[in-house]
Amino acid sequence: MPSPARPAPSTSPAPRGAATSVPSSVVVVGAGLAGARTVAALRELGIDGALTLLGAEGVPPYDRPPLSKELLTRPAPAWLSDDLGIDVGALVDDLRLADPAVRLAPPDGGDRAFAVTTRSGDVVRADAVVLAVGAAPVRPLGWEAASVLHTAADAAALRERVAPGLRLAIVGAGWIGAEIAGVAAGAGADVTVVEAGSTPLERQLGPTVGAHLARWYAPAGARLVTGLPVVEVGPDGVRLADGAHVAADVVLAAVGARPATAWLDGVVPLDARGAVPVDATGAVHDVPGLWALGDCATRDHPVLGPVPGGHWSAALHDPEPTARAILGLDPDGAPPHPPYVFSQQLGHDLALFGNPSPTDEVVLRGDPTGGATGRGAWAAVYVEPGDSTTTHRTDDGTRRAGRAVRRVRAVLLVDSPRDVGAVRRLFTRTPRPELVIEQAVDPTVRWRDLVPAAP
Ligand SMILES: Cc1cc2nc3c(=O)[nH]c(=O)nc-3n(C[C@H](O)[C@H](O)[C@H](O)COP(=O)(O)OP(=O)(O)OC[C@H]3O[C@@H](n4cnc5c(N)ncnc54)[C@H](O)[C@@H]3O)c2cc1C
C-alpha cells in the first residue's frame, strides 16, 4: 500500500550505503506498537529517506493489552491510529502488513545495504533495519489443541467461545492467564487455572507476593490449582502431573512468550531468551545500521543493566531515543523510562515498576489481605539483599544515623492507581532508589513524600 505522496521504496542498493551514516532508507520489521512508534518518531524527527514497514498480521497496528482485559467489552482492536494517532499508511512509503520478513542479510563487501527478504519473495534493501518483531506465545509441542491469546485474531476466536457454562482450562497463572480467568469467570464460564509454580506470577513477583494473589481467584469465581504441571493437552481438557484430568471445552495456553526471532538465528546475536541484545539506544552490538526494540530486544539501561523486553511501556517509549540515534541526532537528555508493567486481573489493579529479582527481600506496605473489604491498597517493595546502611537524609538534607536505608529494585502497587505517578517519578529520578525502609513500608507516609536517601 505505498503512499502516492512519497518516493518509491528502496529496492536497490541505497545511495549512501554506509550503514554508519544517516540512512537514506529504513526498513522497520514488525507492525506492532514498537514498529508503529518507530516510523512515527522517524517522521517526526524529519527523516527524509524512504521508510518501509513490514507486518505479519495483515492488519494495521493495534494495542495488545486490551485483548485480555477487555476481551468481552471491546470487540474491535484498539487501533493505534485511534489511540495514538499513528496512521502508518500516511507515514511510510511502502506498507506491507501481510508480508513478514523471513531473511535478513547484513551489508557485505559487495552490497553495502541490508537486504530483507519477505515471505512473498521480495527483497527490500535499506541502509538501516529496525527489528520490532515482538514476541510469539509459547505453545509446547503436543499442545496443538490449546488456544493462545496474542493477536486480535486470537482474541476474536476466544471471544466467540466465552459464554456461561463454558469449561475453560487456563494453563499458566501469569499476567494473561489471570486476566482472562477474571474476565471469563465474570461472564459465567467455569474457569480452572492450572499453574506449575507454587503461586501465581511466582517467576515474575516471587512466592511471597504470589501467595497473596492466589487469594483473588476464588472470590472472582475461578479455581486455581498450583504446583502441578500440565503433562498432556487434549481436545477434552488437560492432564496434570498427578494424573488428575481437568475437563474443558477450551484450553488456553498462557505459559509465556518468546521473542519472534527464530528467523534471525545465526545472523544476529541472540541472548538465552532469544532476544536481540542492544545498547541503550537500541543499536545491535557490532552490526552498524541494525537496531532492535520492544519485546524482541534486551536493552541496556545505564543503571539497571540489561532490561528484557516484554513491557508495553518500553515499546511505547524506546522508539523515540532509537529514532534519534538512527538519525544521528543528540539524545534529548530525558532519563530512560523505568521498566513498567500494568495489569487488571480478578478485580484488582497492579502496577510494577523496576525489575524484581528472585534474590530480593520483599517488604509489604499495607495489608495484602485487603482488610474488611478485601480490596484495600497495598504494595510490595523489593529491596536488594545485604544492602543496608544506617544513615538517611532528613528533609533539610542533612544525614542522620539510625534508620535502615535499603536499595529498592522494584515496587508493586496493588489497587493504588493514585500512587502510580509518584512511584514512576521515584524510579525515573533514580532508577534504583535508596529509601528509608521504615518510611517506605508505612502506608501513612505518602509515596510522594518518601525522601530518597542521599547517595
Ligand atoms: C493479551 C496481552 C495483554 C498484554 N497486556 C499487557 C499489560 O497489561 N501491560 C504490559 O506492560 N504489557 C502487556 N502486554 C505486552 C505488550 O503488549 C507488549 O509488550 C507490546 O505489545 C510489545 O510491542 P512490540 O511492538 O514490541 O511487539 P508486538 O506488539 O508483538 O508487535 C510485533 C509485531 O511484529 C510482527 N512480526 C513478527 N515477526 C515478524 C516478521 N518476521 N516480519 C514482520 N512482522 C513480524 C508480529 O506479528 C506483531 O504484529 C500484553 C500482551 C498481550 C498479548
Side-chain angles (χ1 to χ4, degrees), residues 29-30 32-34 57 64-65 68-69 100-101 132-134 294-295 311-312 315 342:
V29 187
L33 176 60
E57 294 182 52
R64 285 183 210 285
S68 46
K69 296 162 193 64
V133 290
D295 279 12
H311 310 142
W312 178 88
F342 55 91

Side-chain angles (χ1 to χ4, degrees), residues 340 350-351 353 413 416-426 447:
Y340 166 55
L350 300 182
F353 289 92
L413 293 173
S416 321
R418 276 180 301 182
D419 293 328
V420 166
V423 176
R424 186 198 310 277
R425 274 193 298 283
L426 192 67
W447 281 106

